[in-house]
Structure formats: C-alpha cells, structure tokens
Amino acid sequence: MICSTRPGRVGPVVARWFNERALEHGKFEAVLVDLADFHLPVYDEPFHPTLLEYQHEHTRRWSASVAGADAFAFVTPEYNYNPPPPFLNALDYVYYEWNYKPCGFVSYGGASGGIRAVQIEKQLVTTLKMMPMVEAVAIPFVTQLLDERKLLKAPDSLAASANTLLEELLKWTRALKSLREHTKLAN
C-alpha cells in the first residue's frame, strides 16, 4: 500500500519495486493499492468505525479494499519524523477490517530511510489488532537510487531485506488466519 498521496511522491516507484519482489516470491497474491486512489477526506463518518455503519461511498470502497487483504506491506515516507497524515487518516477510517492481519513496512527517505515514522506506525497498528513485523525494508537516500526512468536501482541488500520481510509476513499471515476467520466481519 502506497501511504503517501503527495504530488511528485516517490512512493509509487518504491511500491512497484517491492510489489515485484512479492510477485517473484510467489506465495502472495500481491495487489498494489494506492491510498491516493481512494480520495479519503479527513475522517468524515458520523459513526464510530466499530459500528460498521458507513455512510459514504469512499469509506465503503476503502473498507472493501482493507477487508480483502490478509496482510499488508505499507510503503511509507517520513514527514518531520512522523507518518504521512493521509496514512494515519486511512488507518482510522475502519477497524475490524484491520484486525489480526500482519503488516510489514517498506520505508524510504533521507538519512534515516523513514525508520522514525515506522516506529510510530508500529505502535498505531497494534491498536487495530495488527501484528507489525520486526523485519523491514528501510531505503535511505532513496532519490539516489532512481534512474532517469524513475525505476529503483536497489542494491542486493535491499532485495534480501524484502525477501526476509516477505517470509515473515507469510508465517504470520498463516498463523493469524484462524483469528481473522472469527472477526466481526466474518460473522
């Protein structure tokens, strides 16, 4: 999931690179989701998300997208040491749809590679009953890895990190399957 919606963002390039790794891994039905495609305004539902009484079409579309996944890889930048605001907003829009799903983080940015934002994001997703992976992919100085076609020229170490993250996501996806089957959405 591309977590930034900013014009001119690098997220789609990084997300395509990671999505290719997931497809090559062969054990996921990887679907690239761009948060920008949902046009979520600042949370505007009149009822709490645990009631599942969504009034707006954008929320119903978002709910279906989140509910349809068994695991997530969040491709996220860092804004002032924090997660991108659209991602925080998207997390808050739904609740049960996130429950008992593992998530990994592919972060990018300058010197830190986005890891400060990921530390905050990991805390946030646990309140949604998600399981954040310890393993991650951090891409420092991401703009130095772009070529003229905007394709990521990733070093082998990043590919190895991506594979390690995917292996852990797979283990946790399988382990949490029975819990996902007993959520309010499944009943």
Side-chain angles (χ1 to χ4, degrees):
M1 177 188 304
I2 305 168
C3 297
S4 171
T5 61
R6 182 182 61 79
R9 64 207 163 125
V10 175
V13 176
V14 175
R16 283 192 299 274
W17 171 83
F18 186 78
N19 196 60
E20 288 172 11
R21 304 294 75 72
L23 292 171
E24 287 172 6
H25 184 267
K27 296 182 180 153
F28 290 95
E29 292 179 33
V31 176
L32 189 55
V33 174
D34 189 344
L35 186 54
D37 292 340
F38 290 87
H39 306 285
L40 294 173
V42 173
Y43 189 78
D44 67 345
E45 285 291 333
F47 303 108
H48 194 279
T50 58
L51 298 175
L52 298 169
E53 295 181 25
Y54 304 132
Q55 304 299 302
H56 303 293
E57 181 58 29
H58 57 259
T59 309
R60 288 189 286 275
R61 284 184 50 240
W62 180 239
S63 170
S65 178
V66 174
D70 289 324
F72 294 92
F74 296 123
V75 178
T76 180
E78 177 177 297
Y79 294 167
N80 300 317
Y81 293 18
N82 283 285
F87 180 46
L88 299 176
N89 186 51
L91 288 172
D92 287 340
Y93 253 90
V94 296
Y95 178 73
Y96 293 111
E97 294 87 338
W98 298 115
N99 291 180
Y100 307 115
K101 296 178 181 180
C103 59
F105 295 88
V106 178
S107 63
Y108 60 92
S112 76
I115 60 173
R116 295 172 294 212
V118 169
Q119 291 306 309
I120 294 168
E121 292 164 350
K122 285 182 177 184
Q123 292 177 47
L124 295 170
V125 299
T126 61
T127 65
L128 298 168
K129 297 185 182 181
M130 297 183 83
M131 181 63 200
M133 301 295 96
V134 171
E135 296 74 13
V137 179
I139 306 173
F141 303 109
V142 68
T143 56
Q144 295 176 11
L145 299 175
L146 303 177
D147 68 14
E148 65 280 352
R149 291 170 288 149
K150 295 278 205 180
L151 298 174
L152 193 62
K153 297 180 293 187
D156 291 342
S157 60
L158 289 180
S161 293
N163 193 57
T164 300
L165 173 57
L166 289 163
E167 282 297 314
E168 286 301 305
L169 272 173
L170 183 63
K171 291 174 192 173
W172 281 95
T173 300
R174 290 173 174 163
L176 295 173
K177 183 178 181 179
S178 64
L179 289 173
R180 286 191 305 279
E181 291 170 349
H182 292 95
T183 66
K184 188 170 185 171
L185 289 176
N187 294 329

